[in-house]
Amino acid sequence: MLRIENLYKEFGNIKAVNNISFEVKRGQVFGLLGPNGAGKSTAISMISTLIEPTKGDIFFEGKSILKDSKPIRQRLGVVPQDIALYPTLTGYENLSFWGSVNGLKGQELKNRILEVSDIIGLNGRLNDRVDKYSGGMKRRLNIGAALLHKPELLIMDEPTVGIDPQSRNHILDTVLELNKQGMTIIYTSHYMEEVEYLCNELCIMDEGNIIASGTQQELVDLVKEKTQINLKLDKNDEEVINHLMEIKGVYEAKINENVINLFGSSTDVLLADIIAKVTENGWMIETIDVKKPNLESVFLHLTGKALRD
């Protein structure tokens, strides 16, 4: 559906986006994950035709949007990171305005406002002024404005920044429901858990570059040896460490404040072998904690820093 080829965006000496390429297939929830300043918003601003790239091209349904942006604009909805609402108007008036901008009018517009308000969960508050809304309600109305014309492709740029957990969960569930109904979604976030929850495929960005891309499993496989098992036994000394290092798949074992930290791969096999080894030697497990690799681990492995640094 959408193909990005060797895209650059420079602002003076700053390379905000540096030669990125990826493809979004129809029906996906595609994630762009990275810390603030990674280049995610710049990338989607180019896809949204709001800014022109320095170099590269963007293809929608096989045709360059740099040569003709009209086809993608008619079928695109954008939820910007900044709230794009009129605070002194009611929720209904805001939706009416944005619907008319997208060519809706009359009964069709009224029907669509009611449908969208139900999707975003604001049908009981549409007659209130937006400046009376909570942060989460504003975010949901922001999403509603992008849905009025039934876009085929929806771009959501950090849609849950600064809101309460309940509103965040409502937005995440709304994204999944929209996708279930057939909408293709590009979702940017610096919250690893959101992308894990939503996205089929993703790119991890940092400092304008794509540093990894693929399905979640493909990315986690990059650091599959980083599984950590923290084990507290009734005995912890070098003899115990030596025995645990005999287990196939364990590549490191150390004692840290009376807890044994084991590092290896294939969590389920490791766990079974560790328990067998402990039982064989007559030791007793007091606590056991497994930390599987995740997208945060991938980012740390590739960049040497935490995702939100």
Side-chain angles (χ1 to χ4, degrees):
M1 184 180 199
L2 186 75
R3 191 171 79 253
I4 313 304
E5 287 191 358
N6 307 114
L7 208 59
Y8 291 81
K9 184 60 183 179
E10 299 172 0
F11 298 100
N13 295 325
I14 299 172
K15 289 185 177 179
V17 169
N18 186 30
N19 192 23
I20 67 170
S21 299
F22 60 87
E23 184 174 352
V24 180
K25 302 180 184 72
R26 183 176 293 279
Q28 280 188 324
V29 180
F30 184 91
L32 285 177
L33 176 67
N36 293 328
K40 307 184 301 295
S41 293
T42 303
I44 65 171
S45 291
M46 289 186 281
I47 296 170
S48 307
T49 72
L50 297 175
I51 60 175
E52 292 186 4
T54 305
K55 286 191 293 184
D57 211 337
I58 303 167
F59 297 89
F60 180 72
E61 304 287 22
K63 296 180 180 179
S64 171
I65 69 172
L66 303 185
K67 295 176 182 176
D68 182 10
S69 63
K70 189 176 180 180
I72 192 172
R73 285 187 174 183
Q74 291 174 334
R75 298 155 71 183
L76 177 69
V78 179
V79 181
Q81 186 175 148
D82 296 324
I83 301 292
L85 301 170
Y86 293 98
T88 59
L89 298 182
T90 66
Y92 189 97
E93 288 167 339
N94 269 276
L95 291 179
S96 181
F97 171 78
W98 290 111
S100 63
V101 167
N102 284 293
L104 301 176
K105 57 186 177 180
Q107 193 60 46
E108 182 186 15
L109 175 57
K110 292 177 181 179
N111 291 342
R112 190 61 188 146
I113 289 173
L114 293 177
E115 292 170 0
V116 165
S117 65
D118 190 49
I119 292 170
I120 59 177
L122 289 179
N123 39 10
R125 298 291 304 273
L126 281 188
N127 292 323
D128 295 347
R129 281 174 35 148
V130 168
D131 55 10
K132 305 298 183 185
Y133 282 11
S134 67
M137 291 169 65
K138 290 175 184 176
R139 287 283 173 192
R140 284 190 266 164
L141 190 64
N142 216 35
I143 293 170
L147 297 177
L148 289 161
H149 61 298
K150 297 184 179 180
E152 295 176 37
L153 175 63
L154 180 68
I155 296 179
M156 308 183 78
D157 188 11
E158 304 268 10
T160 66
V161 170
I163 62 173
D164 61 277
Q166 184 178 358
S167 292
R168 170 174 285 131
N169 291 337
H170 188 284
I171 288 172
L172 297 181
D173 290 341
T174 299
V175 172
L176 289 180
E177 182 58 33
L178 290 169
N179 179 245
K180 190 186 297 185
Q181 293 172 12
M183 192 174 292
T184 304
I185 298 166
I186 299 176
Y187 191 96
T188 85
S189 182
H190 62 270
Y191 296 122
M192 175 268 297
E193 62 274 13
E194 291 187 358
V195 172
E196 284 188 325
Y197 183 66
L198 294 174
C199 298
N200 314 115
E201 293 191 27
L202 64 144
C203 292
I204 301 179
M205 293 188 69
D206 188 44
E207 297 180 353
N209 301 289
I210 290 177
I211 59 173
S213 62
T215 65
Q216 290 190 43
Q217 190 58 54
E218 287 169 345
L219 293 176
V220 170
D221 281 347
L222 296 174
V223 291
K224 61 184 178 181
E225 76 281 1
K226 297 293 185 180
T227 293
Q228 180 177 341
I229 298 177
N230 300 321
L231 190 64
K232 191 171 184 179
L233 304 177
D234 59 345
K235 178 180 180 181
N236 57 355
D237 54 25
E238 285 305 314
E239 179 191 357
V240 174
I241 294 295
N242 291 335
H243 279 293
L244 293 174
M245 284 296 293
E246 295 171 357
I247 299 171
K248 185 178 180 180
V250 173
Y251 71 88
E252 184 181 356
K254 60 186 179 182
I255 300 173
N256 182 21
E257 296 182 354
N258 295 321
V259 176
I260 299 170
N261 303 136
L262 300 176
F263 299 88
S265 56
S266 189
T267 306
D268 296 336
V269 175
L270 268 185
L271 210 49
D273 289 347
I274 288 167
I275 292 170
K277 180 68 73 174
V278 169
T279 303
E280 174 188 319
N281 285 278
W283 306 322
M284 182 179 294
I285 297 175
E286 296 181 2
T287 63
I288 188 165
D289 175 50
V290 180
K291 293 185 177 179
K292 291 186 177 182
N294 55 23
L295 296 177
E296 186 87 40
S297 309
V298 176
F299 189 81
L300 180 63
H301 173 72
L302 294 172
T303 67
K305 59 187 180 184
L307 188 57
R308 300 190 195 174
D309 284 354

